[in-house]
Amino acid sequence: MDALKLVRPVLAGHSLAGEELSSLATRYPERVAGVIYLDAGYAYALYDQVSRRSSPESLPLFRALEALVPNRF
């Protein structure tokens, strides 16, 4: 983002890129205006490897995703 001189971009990602989007957005929220998940909203994208669990902030998102695609999460 620095090399491209992007200031608070909206990032989009497909599939495994969801993990990267979540990582960037949670570690540097002041640098990202938003994220768009394209078939990338899987539980592993919100997994925190340090605590070895999903972040508590992700619970509302899990519920919303479950409502859209039952039995997937």
Side-chain angles (χ1 to χ4, degrees), residues 58-69:
S58 64
L59 186 56
L61 179 57
F62 282 134
R63 289 184 178 141
L65 290 170
E66 179 66 24
L68 292 172
V69 187

Side-chain angles (χ1 to χ4, degrees), residues 40-64:
Y42 300 104
Y44 63 79
L46 301 169
Y47 183 77
D48 180 3
Q49 292 188 3
V50 173
S51 68
R52 298 190 177 268
R53 61 186 177 102
S54 297
S55 66
E57 298 84 13
S58 64
L59 186 56
L61 179 57
F62 282 134
R63 289 184 178 141

Side-chain angles (χ1 to χ4, degrees), residues 3 5 7 10-11 18-19 31 39 41 47 50 52 64 69-70 73:
K5 298 182 173 126
V7 179
V10 174
L11 304 174
E19 187 172 358
R31 305 241 2 233
D39 194 26
Y47 183 77
V50 173
R52 298 190 177 268
V69 187
F73 302 96

Side-chain angles (χ1 to χ4, degrees), residues 2-57:
D2 291 338
L4 296 173
K5 298 182 173 126
L6 299 176
V7 179
R8 297 210 63 214
V10 174
L11 304 174
H14 175 265
S15 192
L16 287 173
E19 187 172 358
E20 300 301 321
L21 292 177
S22 295
S23 176
L24 281 170
T26 56
R27 289 186 298 138
Y28 307 104
E30 72 285 353
R31 305 241 2 233
V32 178
V35 293
I36 300 171
Y37 294 92
L38 304 168
D39 194 26
Y42 300 104
Y44 63 79
L46 301 169
Y47 183 77
D48 180 3
Q49 292 188 3
V50 173
S51 68
R52 298 190 177 268
R53 61 186 177 102
S54 297
S55 66
E57 298 84 13

